[in-house]
Amino acid sequence: MGACSLQVEYPGRECMLEQNEEFFHLVTDDGPERIRIHEYDRVYDVPGLYEEVVYNRLQCDSPHVITGLLKDAIQRHGDMKTPLRVLDFGAGNGIVGECLQDAVETEAIVGIDIIDQAKTAVHRDRPDIYDDYYVMDLSEVDEGDQQKLDRWNFNALVTVASLGFGDIPTRAFVNAFNLIENRSWIVFNIKDRFFSEDDDTGYNKILQQMIGNSLKVYKKHHYCHRLSMAGEPLHYYAIVGRKENDF
Ligand SMILES: C[S@@+](CC[C@H](N)C(=O)[O-])C[C@H]1O[C@@H](n2cnc3c(N)ncnc32)[C@H](O)[C@@H]1O
């Protein structure tokens, strides 16, 4: 992806905002446009902009970290299901799908996102990655959606950088979890605060209830997801586990 022609201006290091408030300016002939990183519809509209801001400038490495941990876990736990039929939930413009294809043997990769612009960006920038890509809201799964998804017989759920912060709500995450077969891979990351007593998103409670009951955790890895605009590390947990039964 060529991002070099984009002109992006970043706020100074004194800019200490919550992650979902962080912004930059895209400079074009029309002048500077202020865009929040979490305005995904606008960010995906511009080829290479997400890659430039999140991956080049803010050094996000989560897709590689997560898919690398999955690869290690597959090698260690030979009894688990492969090749993978993956549901990439909150797939965005497809970077995780691309890393999955490189890291592990897949039979199918299907993306879901809640906005049309993500699907459009995937078709524009990474047309060969996904076997199918749905724009869906899994907060409510109707019969039609259920049928579309059931036919893939998913044996892995992967969700990167999409939980909390007003993105995927707990209900949708639980519905996605329940769409996947028992004894499947469950792989996701989440900001460390949302998986702690300080959480105010509901994720900590849900995850604590899941673990040991519906979800067996093989690996819980604390790492730097990306830098903030001020250059500070933002820490997440990466979780690799196995679904035992519906939640
Ligand atoms: C930070 S991006 C991560 C994209 C991709 N997973 C990656 O790591 O590059 C978060 C994505 O979650 C999507 N999203 C937010 N709420 C969602 C929901 N309820 N259901 C599905 N996707 C959602 C956004 O549209 C966005 O594409």
Side-chain angles (χ1 to χ4, degrees), residues 51-75:
E51 287 79 351
E52 171 58 26
V53 175
V54 176
Y55 289 91
N56 294 345
R57 171 74 179 202
L58 302 177
Q59 295 171 33
C60 177
D61 201 26
S62 281
H64 288 111
V65 170
I66 302 282
T67 53
L69 290 173
L70 174 60
K71 182 180 178 178
D72 290 349
I74 288 171
Q75 282 162 359

Side-chain angles (χ1 to χ4, degrees), residues 40 44 50 55 89-92 96 113-115 160-162 167-169:
Y40 303 116
Y44 295 149
Y50 187 71
Y55 289 91
F89 186 32
V96 173
D113 204 283
I114 203 164
I115 57 171
V160 179
S162 302
D167 286 338
I168 294 175

Side-chain angles (χ1 to χ4, degrees), residues 10-245:
Y10 296 94
R13 290 176 73 90
E14 70 287 354
C15 181
M16 302 282 280
L17 292 170
E18 185 60 287
Q19 263 169 264
N20 55 338
E21 293 301 326
E22 289 186 319
F23 66 91
F24 57 88
H25 288 98
L26 175 67
V27 183
T28 63
D29 292 346
D30 297 333
E33 178 186 355
R34 188 187 198 275
I35 303 176
R36 280 187 308 111
I37 299 177
H38 281 221
E39 277 174 67
Y40 303 116
D41 50 353
R42 180 66 189 115
V43 176
Y44 295 149
D45 262 350
V46 182
L49 185 56
Y50 187 71
E51 287 79 351
E52 171 58 26
V53 175
V54 176
Y55 289 91
N56 294 345
R57 171 74 179 202
L58 302 177
Q59 295 171 33
C60 177
D61 201 26
S62 281
H64 288 111
V65 170
I66 302 282
T67 53
L69 290 173
L70 174 60
K71 182 180 178 178
D72 290 349
I74 288 171
Q75 282 162 359
R76 268 167 220 245
H77 301 277
D79 57 323
M80 288 281 288
K81 293 177 179 176
T82 53
L84 299 185
R85 294 183 302 279
V86 187
L87 173 57
D88 177 6
F89 186 32
N93 64 351
I95 295 170
V96 173
E98 195 169 65
C99 289
L100 273 168
Q101 221 178 42
D102 290 343
V104 294
E105 196 190 338
T106 57
E107 197 168 272
I109 308 178
V110 173
I112 291 187
D113 204 283
I114 203 164
I115 57 171
D116 291 324
Q117 290 85 349
K119 182 174 179 174
T120 303
V122 162
H123 284 160
R124 181 191 64 211
D125 301 338
R126 295 182 177 82
D128 302 325
I129 299 293
Y130 293 93
D131 293 273
D132 216 333
Y133 195 108
Y134 302 112
V135 176
M136 266 184 198
D137 181 358
L138 291 189
S139 305
E140 306 275 340
V141 186
D142 66 29
E143 214 172 293
D145 292 346
Q146 181 90 34
Q147 276 174 5
K148 274 187 207 151
L149 298 173
D150 277 350
R151 74 187 173 88
W152 290 102
N153 297 317
F154 293 118
N155 61 17
L157 171 65
V158 174
T159 295
V160 179
S162 302
L163 304 180
F165 281 122
D167 286 338
I168 294 175
T170 52
R171 183 71 251 160
F173 180 66
V174 168
N175 286 342
F177 184 92
N178 288 340
L179 278 165
I180 309 291
E181 296 171 0
N182 290 348
R183 299 183 59 76
S184 291
W185 294 102
I186 304 293
V187 188
F188 60 93
N189 71 348
I190 186 160
K191 189 174 173 65
D192 53 3
R193 192 177 80 227
F194 300 159
F195 199 1
S196 80
E197 306 248 305
D198 296 330
D199 171 50
D200 58 3
T201 65
Y203 267 102
N204 188 50
K205 188 172 166 209
I206 292 281
L207 292 173
Q208 300 296 351
Q209 287 171 356
M210 269 185 175
I211 291 170
N213 178 22
S214 304
L215 174 63
K216 178 180 167 71
V217 173
Y218 289 137
K219 181 95 181 171
K220 182 176 179 186
H221 174 61
H222 196 225
Y223 73 105
C224 175
H225 160 64
R226 70 165 170 86
L227 301 179
S228 70
M229 284 286 183
E232 299 296 326
L234 299 172
H235 289 104
Y236 275 47
Y237 287 112
I239 306 291
V240 179
R242 179 174 83 176
K243 175 178 172 179
E244 304 284 37
N245 43 56

